[in-house]
Amino acid sequence: MSMFKYLGTRRSQLCAARNYLKVLGFSSFHTAPNSSIELHTQDEEVVIALGSNVGDRLHNFKEALKLMRKSGIHITRHASLYETAPAYVTDQPRFLNSAVRAVTKLGPHELLSALKRIEKDMGRTGGIRYGPRPIDLDILFYGKFKVRSDILTVPHERIWERPFVMAPLMDLLGTAIDSDTVTSWHSFSGHSGGLNALWEKLGGESLIGEEGMYRVMPVANGLLDWSQRTLVMGILNLTPDSFSDGGNFQSVKSAVSQARLMISEGADIIDLGAQSTRPMASRISVEEELGRLIPVLEAVKAIPEAEGKLISVDTFYSEVALEAVRKGAHLINDVSAGKLDANMFKVMAELDVPYVAMHMRGDPCTMQDSENLKYDNVCKDISAELYSQVREAEMSGIPAWRIIMDPGIGFSKKTEDNLEVLTGIPDIREEISKRSLAISHAPILIGPSRKRFLGEICSCPSAVERDPATIASVTAGVLGGANIVRVHNVKDNLDAVKLCDAILKQKSSPMKFKQ
């Protein structure tokens, strides 16, 4: 429980009041901040909303989060990122909105002062109310407390009417209540069903994509709304030993030719891999991986066809990730979700690119060991283990709005496990939503292309014979909610993806589709 000392109030009275309020589960403080001193000895969990519509909005967010950490505000969770139409004063640029959960020893008015100082340091001036601003930081919740003063009201008085505040706020929660503090936040809503019911009353998930509010991911100096259509990632292996096409694209010339082909066939993303992660693959050094990767990355970036396309690098080395981004890569695809390099999360936290975190047990040499193939419930276990890594990534400073999840088809999984994953994407999202709605909303990538389990089912010993089975598995995955598919054969899988997207669009909005 927080400890506050106010001038002119006896300590015994404060203790008695505090004990009474503790029984209730939350407290309400009424004070004039200019006549009080706050002494705070314990961490309190807080929720802070962020908004920006002036200048480089993403840079403003990153700078604000950095300054918050320096001010003693330790960020633990990030909401999704939303681009929203301006409210109240509509003649101004569109906003980016989000929110964070954090812990701090700062008292409520100390916290307010710290946030106002950050706003000022980042160039915010008085201006008109609800007008343009480089950064706007609002305290939505402060522990279990209600705070009322001349300059601060917590919970923020206009939370309940603002979808662009409620959406990020809900992202910071899970469908399962994880603490007494969160229980109090639900009670503050004044609704018998708590925040969840209030959000549904506003419109809930149906508001996303409507009312000028879109959930987005920053990538390549733009904002990606992955709900519009499924993205196709073309695989470009630069290795001599990959299971499907090892040795085919080791020269820069052949690799660039293949990149051109995949782009012409409709690939949205080209995924460059310079280290094989097939079962029992030998690990190569950072230097060797960079030697294979960088010449091709630079050459692919230079071709005119790559304009407007995304370049991904498949690596579990932080040094490779860092150098790849410096050379122009737009996202990093890590099969280990940070488990094979202790510095990966730290490096990725400083890089402004999306991060694909994939589920795998062990490493490529051990992932198919008998112990790593034991699951009590495949989708639940994958959800828990993948979320654990993503949670660590988030605590390291990688925002939820830069996370892409991959359940790891073919990695540490038997044939029947892979089938469970293909049909269980909704279950994976649901399990993760119990812990964090923001992470459950993240794009999901699947990579079943030409994998061994398809050969076992369809009696196709050769990887290149498995394209029809790949198309079937991609279809199942997209209809189940996958947002990105990673494939060798772009052309045929793109046709399958287009059909799936059309089916899903008609199912969700038949009248709109028929027009």
Side-chain angles (χ1 to χ4, degrees), residues 76-216:
T76 58
R77 294 193 186 188
H78 306 73
S80 301
L81 187 68
Y82 295 84
E83 188 176 41
T84 65
Y88 308 116
V89 179
T90 57
D91 186 19
Q92 58 177 317
R94 293 176 64 82
F95 275 84
L96 284 186
N97 290 106
S98 192
V100 296
R101 278 172 74 169
V103 292
T104 184
K105 284 184 167 62
L106 298 174
H109 290 96
E110 292 173 316
L111 177 59
L112 178 65
S113 295
L115 297 179
K116 293 301 180 186
R117 185 166 56 251
I118 291 170
E119 290 179 341
K120 183 178 179 181
D121 290 346
M122 291 184 60
R124 181 172 178 181
T125 57
I128 61 172
R129 193 178 189 192
Y130 307 126
R133 71 290 305 268
I135 197 70
D136 185 30
L137 304 172
D138 287 320
I139 304 171
L140 303 184
F141 290 117
Y142 183 91
K144 298 180 184 179
F145 296 103
K146 289 184 177 180
V147 181
R148 298 287 184 272
S149 75
D150 295 341
I151 61 172
L152 181 61
T153 299
V154 179
H156 193 282
E157 57 190 351
R158 307 196 77 168
I159 292 176
W160 328 116
E161 68 184 52
R162 298 175 172 178
F164 63 89
V165 175
M166 281 294 293
L169 171 59
M170 296 307 300
D171 285 344
L172 297 173
L173 309 176
T175 55
I177 295 175
D178 60 14
S179 70
D180 290 342
T181 299
V182 173
T183 299
S184 71
W185 296 347
H186 282 284
S187 72
F188 290 158
S189 71
H191 197 289
S192 59
L195 292 168
N196 304 79
L198 196 61
W199 172 231
E200 290 303 317
K201 185 177 179 181
L202 276 176
E205 273 295 302
S206 67
L207 296 176
I208 311 303
E210 305 293 337
E211 304 295 325
M213 183 165 66
Y214 303 93
R215 193 175 283 127
V216 294

Side-chain angles (χ1 to χ4, degrees), residues 209-210 214 228 505-506 508-515:
E210 305 293 337
Y214 303 93
Q228 295 300 304
K505 188 174 182 181
Q506 186 178 38
S508 63
S509 184
M511 293 305 296
K512 184 177 179 181
F513 180 75
K514 288 176 183 177
Q515 292 174 352

Side-chain angles (χ1 to χ4, degrees), residues 431-444:
E431 283 299 313
I432 290 175
S433 75
K434 295 175 183 178
R435 301 166 175 87
S436 167
L437 284 168
I439 301 302
S440 75
H441 293 319
I444 286 184

